[in-house]
């Protein structure tokens, strides 16, 4: 088992990059679960907007938590930066894929992404073990 851990161990030292990777993995898992709900039930795509916000919120909290935990200090700062980068990447994907323009709602979403992820970073930095 140690041989497998040694060959496949990959640890990112940058807390923001680590938080982003965890956030996007959880967003992917949430999108997959929502796709199964859409496929298995009589739910329509128009009914998914609330659930999509919940998935993004949970992803932001987890990403901020991981960023705060990895940083060891200034959890709100690293978590908030993770949220801003996450929000900008989601907006960029929406702009490129859906040809959506930037409006005032997007700035509110960036602010909420910062706040949610900063809250996760605050909790993450406080779970660090002191030695």
């Amino acid at each position: 088992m140690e041989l497998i851990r040694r060959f496949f161990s990959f640890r990112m030292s940058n807390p923001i990059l680590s938080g982003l990777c965890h956030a996007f993995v959880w967003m992917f898992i949430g999108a997959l679960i929502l796709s199964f709900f859409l496929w298995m039930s009589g739910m329509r795509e128009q009914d998914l907007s609330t659930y999509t916000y919940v998935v993004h919120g949970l992803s932001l909290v987890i990403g901020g938590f991981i960023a705060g935990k990895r940083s060891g200090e200034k959890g709100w700062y690293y978590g908030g930066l993770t949220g801003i980068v996450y929000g900008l990447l989601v907006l960029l994907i929406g702009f490129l894929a859906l040809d959506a323009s930037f409006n005032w709602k997007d700035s509110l979403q960036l602010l909420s992404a910062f706040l949610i992820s900063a809250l996760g970073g605050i909790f993450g930095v406080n779970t660090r073990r002191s030695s």
Side-chain angles (χ1 to χ4, degrees):
M1 192 68 167
E2 185 64 34
L3 182 67
I4 293 172
R5 275 194 212 127
R6 190 172 48 178
F7 281 119
F8 293 110
S9 69
F10 180 71
R11 182 166 168 87
M12 287 178 262
S13 61
N14 189 346
I16 296 171
L17 185 60
S18 178
L20 276 175
C21 286
H22 280 84
F24 276 108
V25 164
W26 282 100
M27 182 187 64
F28 175 74
I29 291 169
L32 194 62
I33 291 170
L34 287 179
S35 296
F36 281 131
F37 281 156
L38 192 63
W39 178 50
M40 296 289 209
S41 69
M43 193 184 307
R44 297 177 305 158
E45 288 183 25
Q46 292 81 13
D47 302 333
L48 288 179
S49 63
T50 304
Y51 300 116
T52 305
Y53 284 120
V54 169
V55 167
H56 281 296
L58 288 174
S59 299
L60 283 166
V61 167
I62 292 170
F65 183 87
I66 296 296
K69 187 173 181 177
R70 294 273 169 96
S71 71
E73 61 183 16
K74 297 181 186 176
W76 69 271
Y77 176 74
Y78 287 104
L81 280 178
T82 302
I84 287 176
V85 174
Y86 178 94
L88 286 174
L89 285 173
V90 168
L91 287 176
L92 180 68
I93 291 169
F95 173 73
L96 293 175
L98 304 173
D99 199 25
S101 62
F102 188 79
N103 56 22
W104 65 274
K105 287 183 182 180
D106 296 332
S107 59
L108 287 177
Q109 288 178 348
L110 280 176
L111 178 66
S112 64
F114 173 81
L115 293 174
I116 292 169
S117 193
L119 183 68
I122 289 169
F123 287 121
V125 77
N126 288 319
T127 59
R128 187 97 181 176
R129 290 184 185 170
S130 60
S131 33

